[in-house]
Amino acid sequence: MTAQAVEEPEDDRDQDERHRGREGEFAAVIGLEVHIQLETSTKIFCGCSTEPTDEPNTNVCPTCLGLPGALPVLNEAAIDAALKLGKAIDAEVPDRTRFHRKNYYYPDLPKNFQITQYDAPICADGALEVRVEGESREIGITRAHLEEDPGSLQHARDGRRTSIDAAEYTLVDYDRAGVPLMEIVTEPDFRNPAEVRGFLSKLESVLEYLGIFDAGRDGSLRIDANISMVPDSDVEADGSISAAGLGSANRTEVKNISSHKGAQKALAYEVTRQRNALQRGREVEQETRHWDESRGVTISMRTKEAEADYRYFAEADLPPLEVAERAREIEIPELPDARRERFENQYGLGREAASKLTSTKAVAGFYERMTAEFDPDLAATWVADELLGELNYRDMSIEDVDDRLPEFRRLIELVDGDELTSKNATMVLRAMLDEGEEPESIIEREGLGRAEGEEVSAAVEKAIEDNPEAVADYESGEEGAINFLVGQVMQATGGSADPGSVNGMLRERLDG
Ligand code: ADP
Ligand code: ZN
Ligand code: MG
């Protein structure tokens, strides 16, 4: 009997060498599947409201409960929202789009299938430009398709909500079933977690400008992140990854990410985990992992289902939809990048200030109303540096103070007219936000107005009297001594005198 060596096929050996551990450096490759809830007043296939309710299972009907015989009717507003997004990301819209059934059993899915799109998504081949650390990168968007949200599960124990592993039983709320979702699938174009974060905030900003997304709604954004590590030798000179590199790297899909920060943290964890495994000569499993936000780790869930498991087939209750003409006609507003550029040109702002001031449509609108009466630079400093910072610190947004714009205007006028120091103005601003009071009454109550006349001249006299050494120094030609005296006067007036005029008054007294 002759033993015969079994030859491994060539291809397999190549495969193995690529992703079985080896020394050297690896580059991260990341692609996203982002689910966003579209902000429409009714659900995608029935007339039920999408408004959040206090009681579960309030916004439901036979269609979104999947009762036998109930038929879907497509919501025009969801189509328009999808087409607006398509235009904003410069996507191709097919002449005809259609819906498919994705079949699987899960208690949040009462029909046992999800109506989604498969071979003719409403948007394909788009892109979004992202800026990270001063560098612009274009992230390709493979496709963006419409589908219905499933219901939501609430895991509970002793009448209280808890995590899935601690739960005794699970409740289901179908209020969310049928809320329109858009799934946005990117190319594997990200090279690090910071770019992912940049993309998500850019996407959110575009969606907010389009008025089709409510970032404040619980669960309105859900992210699945795909990540693999490829050997540096697979990275081309232009930064792209060779097809062989993309195809052969084992990747993980991280689920359950619900925030920008969560995405960045989960991916940073995966980069380290995968790189460590590879450098120690171990293989990265191709699998689905769960992001555990509270522990800051990803956990292996199950092997990924294959597409064939879903038995996709065309949704016969919804006819194909001719969308080309509608797509041509749909109008979208000025988007964040265009508005930023206009702010730079029209108001002479630097790129950073202009970016900050156009981050949301509400902020940009607020700033533009402000500039109607002010030097745009002064308004920019106030809104971008002061107001947004103070709002952010209080977990408030510009919408919360939108109707108080005239009060802010008066506050800036006081600083501009030199009737209030900028330091005191910041204190007034804080009190305005904390107590909802008008600037004038805060200034009056706290005595924050500019110290003038007698109060200042008395403080000047006192500073001269109390500090003979500094006076002597100044008189013997030591210019710096005057600053010390100015400081004394400022201190005595609680910072509310004008340092320039104090300086002048001191010189007049001492030089005279
Ligand atoms: P699947 O059929 O497994 O769902 P897709 O081709 O639809 O795979 O891609 C799903 C997601 O995985 C996309 O966001 C894509 O960018 C990403 N992706 C594809 N290849 C890789 C890779 N090598 N590493 C990381 N992400 C990848
Ligand atoms: Zn319904
Ligand atoms: Mg896919």
Side-chain angles (χ1 to χ4, degrees), residues 205-223:
S205 169
V206 167
L207 295 169
E208 193 255 357
Y209 270 67
L210 294 173
I212 60 174
F213 177 67
D214 178 3
R217 180 176 287 192
D218 223 24
S220 60
L221 174 77
R222 273 115 65 193
I223 303 150

Side-chain angles (χ1 to χ4, degrees), residues 43 45-49 59-65 174 177-178:
K43 293 184 180 180
F45 298 124
C46 63
C48 291
S49 167
N59 294 335
V60 290
C61 73
T63 299
C64 55
L65 286 175
Y174 292 115

Side-chain angles (χ1 to χ4, degrees), residues 366-402:
F366 189 91
Y367 170 73
E368 290 214 277
R369 280 190 287 141
M370 207 63 143
T371 54
E373 297 190 16
F374 283 114
D375 169 37
D377 246 352
L378 185 67
T381 308
W382 255 84
V383 178
D385 297 346
E386 297 274 333
L387 183 59
L388 290 182
E390 296 295 336
L391 287 172
N392 193 27
Y393 179 73
R394 288 165 177 74
D395 237 341
M396 292 168 78
S397 70
I398 204 88
E399 283 91 339
D400 297 323
V401 295
D402 202 56

Side-chain angles (χ1 to χ4, degrees), residues 201 204-209 215 334-336 339 343 354-367 388 397-399:
S201 71
E204 200 168 290
S205 169
V206 167
L207 295 169
E208 193 255 357
Y209 270 67
E334 185 184 33
L335 294 175
R339 199 159 191 181
F343 276 23
S355 295
K356 238 180 176 176
L357 291 170
T358 50
S359 59
T360 76
K361 201 176 176 176
V363 168
F366 189 91
Y367 170 73
L388 290 182
S397 70
I398 204 88
E399 283 91 339

